[in-house]
Amino acid sequence: MKRILRNRGWQRPAAGLALLGTVVLSACSTAPQGESIQKSLEQTTAARQTVASVALAQVGDAYGAHMAGPSQFDDSGLAYYAYRQNGRALPRSLADQLDTGRPIPLSQAEPGDLVFFRVDSSDGRGRLTVGLIIDQNVAVVAIPGSKAQGGGVRRVALNGQYWSQRLVGVSRVLPDAPDASRGNS
C-alpha cells in the first residue's frame, strides 16, 4: 500500500487530522442496498460475508473519533470492529492498516477488502480514510461529523464521482474467495 501512496504523491496520515467539512459531506453519495449487494455476499466466503455484513449492519451509527464500536466508529475503528467480530486480526490504526494485506486493483475487490481514499480536510492537505468493500460498487465508510452534517457510518457509491476521484487503493487482507466461474467452492 505504501507503493500506491508514493506513486500518487500521498503521505501517511498524521495523528489529529482535521475533520471533513460539511461541503465534502454533501458530495458523498449513499449507495442503495440492493440485489447487487446480496448477490455479492452470497457468492463469497463465509469470512468475507461476515466482515462485510458486520460493516453493513453499522450503517446509520454515529461517527466517534478514536472509537471502534459497538455504536460509534471512526474509519479505522469500523474496519477493525468488522474484522474482530469475525475473529480476524486487523491492526487498529489507519497507518498500520495501510501496511496490511496486499494491494489489488478495484476491479478485483471482494466483500471485506479494505479501500483507501484521500478526502478533503479543512486544512487543505486532505486526509486518508479507510472503508470496507461490500460489493463491486459499494463500500461502507465512517465519515467524520454529526448525522445532521452527513457524518456517521454510511454506504458510498465507489463509481460515483466524489469517491472514485479520491480512491487511493484497495488492500486484500482476507484470503481470496473461490472463483465461482471455475466451479470452485
Side-chain angles (χ1 to χ4, degrees):
M1 189 57 65
K2 285 182 188 176
R3 182 183 70 226
I4 290 171
L5 295 175
R6 272 196 303 269
N7 290 343
R8 296 200 178 195
W10 303 120
Q11 302 283 325
R12 285 178 64 162
L17 292 171
L19 297 178
L20 292 172
T22 304
V23 173
V24 171
L25 294 175
S26 66
C28 303
S29 86
T30 301
Q33 177 181 357
E35 293 177 21
S36 172
I37 292 173
Q38 188 63 33
K39 186 176 180 181
S40 291
L41 294 177
E42 289 172 357
Q43 294 179 346
T44 194
T45 66
R48 289 182 169 284
Q49 214 172 44
T50 303
V51 168
S53 294
V54 166
L56 199 53
Q58 308 321 305
V59 169
D61 284 351
Y63 179 86
H66 312 292
M67 299 297 290
S71 61
Q72 290 185 338
F73 300 89
D74 64 15
D75 57 341
S76 61
L78 176 63
Y80 173 80
Y81 181 82
Y83 272 71
R84 187 180 66 197
Q85 295 303 305
N86 190 36
R88 302 290 177 156
L90 186 71
R92 172 63 182 91
S93 77
L94 177 73
D96 291 336
Q97 289 176 4
L98 278 168
D99 294 332
T100 301
R102 64 181 167 86
I104 60 168
L106 178 60
S107 62
Q108 294 177 12
E110 299 174 13
D113 288 335
L114 301 179
V115 59
F116 297 90
F117 302 98
R118 184 72 168 183
V119 295
D120 303 329
S121 64
S122 60
D123 65 6
R125 295 183 336 167
R127 68 183 283 280
L128 287 173
T129 191
V130 62
L132 288 136
I133 297 284
I134 303 302
D135 85 353
Q136 197 65 37
N137 293 313
V138 178
V140 172
V141 181
I143 301 171
S146 70
K147 289 182 183 181
Q149 296 172 313
V153 180
R154 308 231 342 241
R155 285 188 308 267
V156 299
L158 297 174
N159 57 355
Q161 184 177 8
Y162 181 85
W163 293 100
S164 65
Q165 290 179 348
R166 287 156 178 82
L167 179 71
V168 173
V170 179
S171 183
R172 167 97 13 107
V173 177
L174 295 169
D176 293 345
D179 185 348
S181 66
R182 288 188 254 164
N184 297 338
S185 43

